[in-house]
Amino acid sequence: MKKLTMFASCLIFGLFAASSAFADYPTEVNKRPLTLPGGSWEVDAGLNLTDKFESANLGLIGKYAVNDTTQVHVGYGLPVKDFKVAKAVELGMNYGVIHDGPLHMAPSLTLPLSFEEGADVLGSINIGLDSRYNLSGDQIAIYCGHGLVSYNISASSHLIALPLGIGYQVDGQINIRLDTTLATMAKGADLVSIADTQPIKISMIYSMDSDMDVGVNVDFNADAAGDTLTAGVALAYRAF
């Protein structure tokens, strides 16, 4: 009985310590680490309307933090209109190397996994140097490095991109973010800069608390907004 009491006491203390640590997970997007706390998980769902809102795609991502620095994920996409079940997923990992002070860095690797027989498109391997630098007391965050290098397996070609994002924390719950790509260079092609084409993505996230976010976004090329407009809604739920 004494051993059982000691075990129960240790278990309760451990759960309390873990919950206390996870209670510190910020509601503000700009203050969150680039990887989840160890042992926690997250599910992201996004519905995007494309082709002048004539088609829709549903994206699902499940994330799990092995520890405080290593996070893995599985992603799956599904076209809603045709409802064709895809036989491919993406597997990814982020590893946090810097998570103190204003600079956060968690390099990423994403791999395609296809179960299609004789598929022409196998997907792309993506390598990123996912980074964020905070300014003005965390009210402004500069994002870069995600999807830095992409290698298309079927075409044996690569693409190098220089993405840039700026997040503004309006208050404790609302975050607005602007993303673009400064330049891209594909194998055997010339450099394409933001002077040639202006891809823009604007997102707004409302954090109900540290457990759940809802958001909306629009994506377009500024030089042909009417023909390239994509709109979407997103939901994220995490458990600690």
Side-chain angles (χ1 to χ4, degrees):
M1 183 67 180
K2 185 177 180 181
K3 291 183 178 180
L4 181 60
T5 303
M6 290 180 64
F7 175 77
S9 300
C10 291
L11 180 61
I12 292 172
F13 177 78
L15 291 174
F16 176 77
S19 63
S20 298
F22 295 148
D24 293 336
Y25 190 78
T27 301
E28 299 93 331
V29 173
N30 280 2
K31 293 183 179 181
R32 293 174 181 173
L34 296 182
T35 56
L36 293 167
S40 59
W41 55 267
E42 177 178 325
V43 175
D44 297 346
L47 179 65
N48 292 310
L49 302 175
T50 62
D51 298 329
K52 297 182 180 180
F53 305 148
E54 293 181 359
S55 61
N57 295 286
L58 177 66
L60 299 172
I61 300 177
K63 303 176 183 178
Y64 177 73
V66 180
N67 51 48
D68 287 346
T69 57
T70 305
Q71 175 180 292
V72 296
H73 78 261
V74 178
Y76 183 77
L78 178 68
V80 176
K81 184 177 180 180
D82 299 331
F83 206 75
K84 180 181 179 181
V85 178
K87 296 181 180 180
V89 297
E90 72 168 32
L91 306 176
M93 181 184 75
N94 283 80
Y95 183 74
V97 295
I98 301 176
H99 44 78
D100 293 321
L103 178 63
H104 292 249
M105 186 178 295
S108 62
L109 173 66
T110 303
L111 304 172
L113 181 61
S114 176
F115 301 99
E116 298 276 1
E117 294 183 2
D120 295 329
V121 180
L122 297 178
S124 298
I125 298 173
N126 292 283
I127 301 173
L129 193 62
D130 301 37
S131 305
R132 187 188 75 213
Y133 190 83
N134 286 19
L135 302 167
S136 302
D138 299 324
Q139 190 171 32
I140 298 175
I142 300 175
Y143 296 84
C144 62
H146 181 71
L148 196 63
V149 179
S150 177
Y151 178 77
N152 187 289
I153 299 174
S154 299
S156 297
S157 62
H158 65 266
L159 177 70
I160 300 174
L162 296 176
L164 177 67
I166 300 176
Y168 180 72
Q169 195 70 44
V170 179
D171 55 28
Q173 293 180 295
I174 299 175
N175 184 278
I176 298 176
R177 178 167 165 174
L178 171 67
D179 286 275
T180 189
T181 301
L182 299 179
T184 58
M185 177 175 283
K187 180 180 178 181
D190 295 330
L191 176 71
V192 177
S193 73
I194 197 170
D196 304 308
T197 182
Q198 299 85 40
I200 301 292
K201 182 177 181 179
I202 301 174
S203 309
M204 185 183 74
I205 295 176
Y206 179 80
S207 303
M208 297 182 179
D209 49 35
S210 60
D211 299 331
M212 183 178 293
D213 308 322
V214 293
V216 294
N217 60 78
V218 291
D219 195 333
F220 57 91
N221 280 324
D223 51 350
D227 298 324
T228 60
L229 182 65
T230 297
V233 293
L235 173 68
Y237 177 80
R238 59 193 67 85
F240 304 107

